[in-house]
CSV table of all heavy atoms in Angstrom, one decimal:
chain,number,residue,atom,x,y,z
A,345,GLU,N,-49.9,1.2,-79.1
A,345,GLU,CA,-50.2,-0.1,-78.6
A,345,GLU,C,-51.3,-0.8,-79.3
A,345,GLU,O,-51.2,-1.9,-79.6
A,345,GLU,CB,-50.5,0.2,-77.2
A,345,GLU,CG,-50.4,-0.9,-76.1
A,345,GLU,CD,-50.5,-0.4,-74.8
A,345,GLU,OE1,-50.9,0.8,-74.6
A,345,GLU,OE2,-50.2,-1.2,-73.9
A,346,ARG,N,-52.3,0.1,-79.6
A,346,ARG,CA,-53.5,-0.4,-80.3
A,346,ARG,C,-53.0,-1.0,-81.8
A,346,ARG,O,-53.6,-2.1,-82.1
A,346,ARG,CB,-54.6,0.5,-80.5
A,346,ARG,CG,-55.5,0.6,-79.3
A,346,ARG,CD,-56.6,1.6,-79.4
A,346,ARG,NE,-57.6,1.2,-80.5
A,346,ARG,CZ,-58.7,2.0,-80.8
A,346,ARG,NH1,-58.9,3.0,-80.3
A,346,ARG,NH2,-59.5,1.5,-81.7
A,347,THR,N,-52.3,-0.3,-82.5
A,347,THR,CA,-51.9,-0.6,-83.8
A,347,THR,C,-51.0,-1.8,-83.8
A,347,THR,O,-51.2,-2.6,-84.7
A,347,THR,CB,-51.4,0.6,-84.6
A,347,THR,OG1,-52.2,1.7,-84.3
A,347,THR,CG2,-51.2,0.3,-86.0
A,348,ALA,N,-50.2,-1.8,-82.8
A,348,ALA,CA,-49.3,-3.1,-82.7
A,348,ALA,C,-50.0,-4.4,-82.5
A,348,ALA,O,-49.9,-5.4,-83.2
A,348,ALA,CB,-48.2,-2.9,-81.7
A,349,ALA,N,-51.1,-4.1,-81.6
A,349,ALA,CA,-51.9,-5.3,-81.4
A,349,ALA,C,-52.8,-5.8,-82.7
A,349,ALA,O,-52.9,-6.9,-83.0
A,349,ALA,CB,-53.0,-5.1,-80.1
A,350,LEU,N,-53.2,-4.8,-83.3
A,350,LEU,CA,-54.0,-5.0,-84.7
A,350,LEU,C,-53.1,-5.7,-85.7
A,350,LEU,O,-53.5,-6.7,-86.3
A,350,LEU,CB,-54.5,-3.7,-85.1
A,350,LEU,CG,-55.3,-3.8,-86.4
A,350,LEU,CD1,-56.5,-4.5,-86.3
A,350,LEU,CD2,-55.5,-2.4,-87.0
A,351,LEU,N,-51.8,-5.2,-85.7
A,351,LEU,CA,-50.9,-5.8,-86.7
A,351,LEU,C,-50.7,-7.4,-86.4
A,351,LEU,O,-50.5,-8.1,-87.2
A,351,LEU,CB,-49.6,-5.0,-86.8
A,351,LEU,CG,-49.7,-3.7,-87.4
A,351,LEU,CD1,-48.6,-2.8,-87.1
A,351,LEU,CD2,-49.9,-3.8,-89.0
A,352,ALA,N,-50.5,-7.6,-85.1
A,352,ALA,CA,-50.3,-9.0,-84.6
A,352,ALA,C,-51.5,-9.8,-85.2
A,352,ALA,O,-51.3,-10.9,-85.6
A,352,ALA,CB,-50.1,-9.1,-83.1
A,353,GLU,N,-52.7,-9.3,-84.9
A,353,GLU,CA,-53.8,-10.0,-85.4
A,353,GLU,C,-53.8,-10.4,-86.9
A,353,GLU,O,-54.3,-11.4,-87.4
A,353,GLU,CB,-55.1,-9.3,-85.1
A,353,GLU,CG,-55.6,-9.5,-83.7
A,353,GLU,CD,-56.7,-8.6,-83.2
A,353,GLU,OE1,-57.5,-8.2,-84.3
A,353,GLU,OE2,-56.7,-8.1,-82.1
A,354,LEU,N,-53.2,-9.3,-87.6
A,354,LEU,CA,-53.2,-9.4,-89.2
A,354,LEU,C,-52.1,-10.2,-89.5
A,354,LEU,O,-51.9,-10.5,-90.8
A,354,LEU,CB,-53.1,-8.1,-89.8
A,354,LEU,CG,-54.4,-7.1,-89.5
A,354,LEU,CD1,-54.0,-5.7,-90.0
A,354,LEU,CD2,-55.6,-7.6,-90.3
A,355,GLY,N,-51.2,-10.7,-88.7
A,355,GLY,CA,-50.3,-11.7,-89.0
A,355,GLY,C,-48.9,-11.0,-89.2
A,355,GLY,O,-47.9,-11.9,-89.6
A,356,ALA,N,-48.6,-9.8,-88.9
A,356,ALA,CA,-47.3,-9.2,-88.8
A,356,ALA,C,-46.5,-9.9,-87.9
A,356,ALA,O,-46.9,-10.3,-86.8
A,356,ALA,CB,-47.4,-7.7,-88.5
A,357,VAL,N,-45.1,-10.1,-88.1
A,357,VAL,CA,-44.2,-10.9,-87.3
A,357,VAL,C,-43.8,-9.8,-86.2
A,357,VAL,O,-43.2,-8.6,-86.5
A,357,VAL,CB,-43.0,-11.2,-88.2
A,357,VAL,CG1,-42.0,-11.9,-87.2
A,357,VAL,CG2,-43.5,-12.1,-89.2
A,358,PRO,N,-43.9,-10.0,-84.9
A,358,PRO,CA,-43.6,-9.1,-83.9
A,358,PRO,C,-42.3,-8.5,-83.9
A,358,PRO,O,-42.1,-7.3,-83.7
A,358,PRO,CB,-43.9,-9.9,-82.6
A,358,PRO,CG,-44.9,-11.0,-82.9
A,358,PRO,CD,-44.6,-11.2,-84.3
A,359,ASP,N,-41.2,-9.4,-84.4
A,359,ASP,CA,-40.0,-8.9,-84.3
A,359,ASP,C,-39.7,-7.8,-85.4
A,359,ASP,O,-38.7,-7.2,-85.5
A,359,ASP,CB,-38.9,-10.0,-84.6
A,359,ASP,CG,-38.6,-10.8,-83.4
A,359,ASP,OD1,-39.0,-10.3,-82.2
A,359,ASP,OD2,-37.9,-11.8,-83.5
A,360,ARG,N,-40.7,-7.8,-86.4
A,360,ARG,CA,-40.4,-6.9,-87.5
A,360,ARG,C,-41.4,-5.6,-87.3
A,360,ARG,O,-41.7,-4.9,-88.3
A,360,ARG,CB,-40.9,-7.6,-88.8
A,360,ARG,CG,-39.9,-8.7,-89.1
A,360,ARG,CD,-40.2,-9.3,-90.5
A,360,ARG,NE,-39.4,-10.5,-90.7
A,360,ARG,CZ,-39.5,-11.4,-91.5
A,360,ARG,NH1,-40.6,-11.2,-92.5
A,360,ARG,NH2,-38.8,-12.5,-91.7
A,361,VAL,N,-42.0,-5.5,-86.2
A,361,VAL,CA,-42.9,-4.3,-85.9
A,361,VAL,C,-42.1,-3.5,-85.0
A,361,VAL,O,-41.7,-3.8,-83.9
A,361,VAL,CB,-44.3,-4.7,-85.3
A,361,VAL,CG1,-45.0,-3.5,-84.9
A,361,VAL,CG2,-45.1,-5.7,-86.2
A,362,HIS,N,-41.6,-2.4,-85.6
A,362,HIS,CA,-40.6,-1.5,-84.8
A,362,HIS,C,-41.3,-0.2,-84.3
A,362,HIS,O,-41.9,0.4,-85.0
A,362,HIS,CB,-39.5,-1.1,-85.7
A,362,HIS,CG,-39.0,-2.3,-86.5
A,362,HIS,ND1,-38.2,-3.3,-85.8
A,362,HIS,CD2,-39.0,-2.7,-87.8
A,362,HIS,CE1,-37.9,-4.2,-86.8
A,362,HIS,NE2,-38.4,-3.8,-88.0
A,363,HIS,N,-41.1,0.0,-83.0
A,363,HIS,CA,-41.6,1.3,-82.4
A,363,HIS,C,-40.9,1.5,-81.1
A,363,HIS,O,-40.3,0.6,-80.5
A,363,HIS,CB,-43.1,1.2,-82.1
A,363,HIS,CG,-43.6,0.0,-81.4
A,363,HIS,ND1,-43.5,0.1,-80.0
A,363,HIS,CD2,-44.1,-1.2,-81.6
A,363,HIS,CE1,-44.1,-0.9,-79.4
A,363,HIS,NE2,-44.4,-1.8,-80.4
A,364,ASP,N,-40.9,2.7,-80.6
A,364,ASP,CA,-40.3,2.9,-79.3
A,364,ASP,C,-41.2,2.3,-78.2
A,364,ASP,O,-42.4,2.1,-78.5
A,364,ASP,CB,-40.1,4.4,-79.1
A,364,ASP,CG,-38.9,5.0,-79.9
A,364,ASP,OD1,-37.9,4.3,-79.9
A,364,ASP,OD2,-39.1,6.0,-80.5
A,365,ALA,N,-40.6,2.0,-77.1
A,365,ALA,CA,-41.3,1.3,-76.2
A,365,ALA,C,-42.6,2.1,-75.6
A,365,ALA,O,-42.5,3.3,-75.6
A,365,ALA,CB,-40.5,1.0,-75.0
A,366,VAL,N,-43.6,1.3,-75.4
A,366,VAL,CA,-44.9,2.0,-75.0
A,366,VAL,C,-44.8,1.8,-73.3
A,366,VAL,O,-44.6,0.7,-72.9
A,366,VAL,CB,-46.0,1.3,-75.4
A,366,VAL,CG1,-47.4,1.8,-74.9
A,366,VAL,CG2,-46.1,1.1,-77.0
A,367,PRO,N,-45.1,3.1,-72.8
A,367,PRO,CA,-45.0,3.1,-71.2
A,367,PRO,C,-46.1,2.3,-70.6
A,367,PRO,O,-47.1,2.0,-71.2
A,367,PRO,CB,-45.1,4.6,-70.9
A,367,PRO,CG,-45.9,5.2,-72.0
A,367,PRO,CD,-45.6,4.2,-73.2
A,368,ALA,N,-45.9,1.9,-69.3
A,368,ALA,CA,-47.0,1.2,-68.7
A,368,ALA,C,-48.2,2.1,-68.6
A,368,ALA,O,-48.0,3.3,-68.5
A,368,ALA,CB,-46.5,0.8,-67.2
A,369,PRO,N,-49.4,1.6,-68.6
A,369,PRO,CA,-50.6,2.5,-68.5
A,369,PRO,C,-50.7,3.2,-67.2
A,369,PRO,O,-50.1,2.8,-66.2
A,369,PRO,CB,-51.8,1.5,-68.6
A,369,PRO,CG,-51.2,0.1,-68.3
A,369,PRO,CD,-49.7,0.2,-68.4
A,370,PRO,N,-51.1,4.5,-67.4
A,370,PRO,CA,-51.0,5.3,-66.1
A,370,PRO,C,-51.8,4.7,-65.0
A,370,PRO,O,-52.8,4.2,-65.2
A,370,PRO,CB,-51.7,6.7,-66.5
A,370,PRO,CG,-51.7,6.7,-68.0
A,370,PRO,CD,-51.8,5.2,-68.4
A,371,GLY,N,-51.3,4.7,-63.7
A,371,GLY,CA,-52.0,4.3,-62.5
A,371,GLY,C,-51.7,5.2,-61.5
A,371,GLY,O,-51.1,6.3,-61.8
A,372,PRO,N,-51.9,4.9,-60.2
A,372,PRO,CA,-51.8,5.8,-59.1
A,372,PRO,C,-50.3,6.1,-59.1
A,372,PRO,O,-49.9,7.3,-58.7
A,372,PRO,CB,-52.1,5.1,-57.9
A,372,PRO,CG,-52.9,3.9,-58.3
A,372,PRO,CD,-52.6,3.5,-59.8
A,373,GLY,N,-49.3,5.3,-59.4
A,373,GLY,CA,-47.9,5.6,-59.4
A,373,GLY,C,-47.3,6.2,-60.6
A,373,GLY,O,-46.2,6.6,-60.6
A,374,THR,N,-48.1,6.2,-61.7
A,374,THR,CA,-47.6,6.7,-62.9
A,374,THR,C,-48.6,7.6,-63.6
A,374,THR,O,-49.3,7.3,-64.5
A,374,THR,CB,-47.3,5.5,-63.9
A,374,THR,OG1,-48.5,4.7,-64.0
A,374,THR,CG2,-46.2,4.7,-63.6
A,375,PRO,N,-48.6,8.9,-63.1
A,375,PRO,CA,-49.7,9.8,-63.5
A,375,PRO,C,-49.5,10.2,-65.0
A,375,PRO,O,-50.4,11.0,-65.5
A,375,PRO,CB,-49.5,11.0,-62.6
A,375,PRO,CG,-48.0,10.9,-62.0
A,375,PRO,CD,-47.7,9.5,-62.1
A,376,ARG,N,-48.4,9.9,-65.6
A,376,ARG,CA,-48.3,10.4,-67.1
A,376,ARG,C,-47.3,9.5,-67.7
A,376,ARG,O,-46.8,8.6,-67.2
A,376,ARG,CB,-47.8,11.8,-67.1
A,376,ARG,CG,-46.3,11.9,-66.5
A,376,ARG,CD,-45.7,13.1,-67.1
A,376,ARG,NE,-44.4,12.6,-67.4
A,376,ARG,CZ,-43.6,13.0,-68.4
A,376,ARG,NH1,-44.2,13.9,-69.3
A,376,ARG,NH2,-42.3,12.6,-68.7
A,377,PRO,N,-47.3,9.6,-69.1
A,377,PRO,CA,-46.3,8.7,-69.9
A,377,PRO,C,-45.0,8.9,-69.2
A,377,PRO,O,-44.5,10.1,-68.7
A,377,PRO,CB,-46.3,9.2,-71.2
A,377,PRO,CG,-47.7,10.0,-71.3
A,377,PRO,CD,-48.1,10.5,-70.1
A,378,LEU,N,-44.3,7.9,-69.1
A,378,LEU,CA,-43.0,7.8,-68.4
A,378,LEU,C,-41.8,8.3,-69.3
A,378,LEU,O,-41.9,8.3,-70.5
A,378,LEU,CB,-42.6,6.5,-67.8
A,378,LEU,CG,-43.7,6.0,-67.0
A,378,LEU,CD1,-43.4,4.4,-66.6
A,378,LEU,CD2,-43.8,6.7,-65.7
A,379,GLY,N,-40.7,8.7,-68.8
A,379,GLY,CA,-39.5,9.0,-69.5
A,379,GLY,C,-39.0,7.8,-70.2
A,379,GLY,O,-39.3,6.6,-69.8
A,380,PHE,N,-38.1,7.9,-71.2
A,380,PHE,CA,-37.6,6.8,-72.0
A,380,PHE,C,-36.8,5.8,-71.2
A,380,PHE,O,-36.9,4.6,-71.6
A,380,PHE,CB,-37.1,7.2,-73.4
A,380,PHE,CG,-35.7,7.8,-73.2
A,380,PHE,CD1,-34.6,7.1,-73.1
A,380,PHE,CD2,-35.7,9.2,-73.4
A,380,PHE,CE1,-33.3,7.8,-73.0
A,380,PHE,CE2,-34.5,9.9,-73.3
A,380,PHE,CZ,-33.3,9.2,-73.2
A,381,GLY,N,-36.2,6.3,-70.2
A,381,GLY,CA,-35.4,5.4,-69.4
A,381,GLY,C,-36.4,4.4,-68.8
A,381,GLY,O,-36.0,3.2,-68.7
A,382,GLU,N,-37.5,4.9,-68.2
A,382,GLU,CA,-38.4,4.0,-67.6
A,382,GLU,C,-39.2,3.2,-68.6
A,382,GLU,O,-39.5,2.0,-68.3
A,382,GLU,CB,-39.4,4.8,-66.8
A,382,GLU,CG,-38.9,5.4,-65.5
A,382,GLU,CD,-39.5,6.6,-65.2
A,382,GLU,OE1,-39.5,7.6,-65.9
A,382,GLU,OE2,-40.4,6.5,-64.3
A,383,TRP,N,-39.4,3.6,-69.8
A,383,TRP,CA,-40.0,2.8,-70.8
A,383,TRP,C,-39.1,1.6,-71.1
A,383,TRP,O,-39.6,0.4,-71.0
A,383,TRP,CB,-39.9,3.6,-72.1
A,383,TRP,CG,-41.1,4.6,-72.2
A,383,TRP,CD1,-41.7,5.1,-71.2
A,383,TRP,CD2,-41.7,5.1,-73.4
A,383,TRP,NE1,-42.6,6.0,-71.5
A,383,TRP,CE2,-42.7,6.0,-72.9
A,383,TRP,CE3,-41.5,4.8,-74.7
A,383,TRP,CZ2,-43.4,6.7,-73.8
A,383,TRP,CZ3,-42.3,5.6,-75.5
A,383,TRP,CH2,-43.3,6.5,-75.2
A,384,PHE,N,-37.8,1.8,-71.1
A,384,PHE,CA,-36.8,0.6,-71.3
A,384,PHE,C,-37.0,-0.3,-70.1
A,384,PHE,O,-37.2,-1.5,-70.2
A,384,PHE,CB,-35.4,1.1,-71.3
A,384,PHE,CG,-34.4,0.1,-71.3
A,384,PHE,CD1,-33.9,-0.4,-72.5
A,384,PHE,CD2,-33.9,-0.5,-70.2
A,384,PHE,CE1,-33.0,-1.4,-72.5
A,384,PHE,CE2,-33.0,-1.5,-70.2
A,384,PHE,CZ,-32.5,-2.0,-71.5
A,385,LEU,N,-37.0,0.3,-68.8
A,385,LEU,CA,-37.0,-0.5,-67.7
A,385,LEU,C,-38.3,-1.2,-67.6
A,385,LEU,O,-38.4,-2.3,-67.1
A,385,LEU,CB,-36.9,0.4,-66.5
A,385,LEU,CG,-35.5,1.0,-66.4
A,385,LEU,CD1,-35.4,2.2,-65.3
A,385,LEU,CD2,-34.5,-0.1,-66.0
A,386,ASN,N,-39.4,-0.7,-67.9
A,386,ASN,CA,-40.7,-1.3,-67.7
A,386,ASN,C,-41.1,-2.4,-68.8
A,386,ASN,O,-42.1,-2.9,-68.7
A,386,ASN,CB,-41.8,-0.3,-67.6
A,386,ASN,CG,-41.7,0.5,-66.2
A,386,ASN,OD1,-41.2,-0.2,-65.3
A,386,ASN,ND2,-42.0,1.7,-66.2
A,387,ARG,N,-40.3,-2.4,-69.9
A,387,ARG,CA,-40.7,-3.2,-71.1
A,387,ARG,C,-40.5,-4.7,-70.7
A,387,ARG,O,-39.5,-5.0,-70.2
A,387,ARG,CB,-39.9,-2.9,-72.2
A,387,ARG,CG,-40.3,-1.5,-72.9
A,387,ARG,CD,-39.3,-1.3,-73.9
A,387,ARG,NE,-39.5,-1.9,-75.0
A,387,ARG,CZ,-38.8,-1.9,-76.1
A,387,ARG,NH1,-37.7,-1.2,-76.0
A,387,ARG,NH2,-39.1,-2.6,-77.0
A,388,PRO,N,-41.5,-5.5,-70.9
A,388,PRO,CA,-41.4,-6.9,-70.7
A,388,PRO,C,-40.4,-7.5,-71.7
A,388,PRO,O,-40.3,-7.1,-72.8
A,388,PRO,CB,-42.7,-7.6,-70.9
A,388,PRO,CG,-43.5,-6.4,-71.6
A,388,PRO,CD,-42.9,-5.2,-71.4
A,389,ALA,N,-39.4,-8.3,-71.1
A,389,ALA,CA,-38.3,-8.8,-72.1
A,389,ALA,C,-38.6,-9.3,-73.4
A,389,ALA,O,-38.0,-9.0,-74.3
A,389,ALA,CB,-37.5,-9.8,-71.2
A,390,PRO,N,-39.8,-10.1,-73.6
A,390,PRO,CA,-40.0,-10.7,-74.9
A,390,PRO,C,-40.2,-9.8,-76.0
A,390,PRO,O,-40.1,-10.1,-77.1
A,390,PRO,CB,-41.2,-11.6,-74.6
A,390,PRO,CG,-41.4,-11.8,-73.1
A,390,PRO,CD,-40.7,-10.6,-72.6
A,391,HIS,N,-40.6,-8.5,-75.5
A,391,HIS,CA,-41.0,-7.5,-76.6
A,391,HIS,C,-39.8,-6.6,-76.9
A,391,HIS,O,-39.9,-5.7,-77.8
A,391,HIS,CB,-42.0,-6.6,-76.2
A,391,HIS,CG,-43.3,-7.4,-75.8
A,391,HIS,ND1,-43.9,-8.2,-76.8
A,391,HIS,CD2,-44.0,-7.5,-74.7
A,391,HIS,CE1,-45.0,-8.7,-76.3
A,391,HIS,NE2,-45.1,-8.4,-75.1
A,392,TRP,N,-38.5,-6.8,-76.4
A,392,TRP,CA,-37.4,-6.1,-76.8
A,392,TRP,C,-37.2,-6.3,-78.2
A,392,TRP,O,-37.1,-7.4,-78.7
A,392,TRP,CB,-36.3,-6.3,-75.9
A,392,TRP,CG,-36.5,-5.8,-74.4
A,392,TRP,CD1,-37.6,-5.4,-74.0
A,392,TRP,CD2,-35.5,-5.9,-73.4
A,392,TRP,NE1,-37.3,-5.0,-72.7
A,392,TRP,CE2,-36.1,-5.5,-72.2
A,392,TRP,CE3,-34.2,-6.4,-73.3
A,392,TRP,CZ2,-35.5,-5.3,-71.0
A,392,TRP,CZ3,-33.5,-6.4,-72.1
A,392,TRP,CH2,-34.2,-5.8,-71.0
A,393,HIS,N,-36.7,-5.1,-79.0
A,393,HIS,CA,-36.4,-5.4,-80.3
A,393,HIS,C,-35.1,-6.0,-80.5
A,393,HIS,O,-34.7,-6.7,-81.5
A,393,HIS,CB,-36.5,-4.0,-81.1
A,393,HIS,CG,-37.6,-3.3,-80.9
A,393,HIS,ND1,-38.8,-3.9,-81.3
A,393,HIS,CD2,-37.9,-2.1,-80.5
A,393,HIS,CE1,-39.9,-2.9,-81.1
A,393,HIS,NE2,-39.3,-1.9,-80.6
Side-chain angles (χ1 to χ4, degrees):
E345 207 165 10
R346 278 183 64 179
T347 310
L350 177 67
L351 287 164
E353 280 169 31
L354 292 171
V357 178
D359 277 356
R360 295 184 190 168
V361 176
H362 311 290
H363 57 80
D364 285 317
V366 177
T374 54
R376 63 159 224 140
L378 302 170
F380 67 82
E382 287 154 286
W383 283 23
F384 175 96
L385 293 165
N386 287 329
R387 290 172 72 188
H391 299 300
W392 291 4
H393 300 309

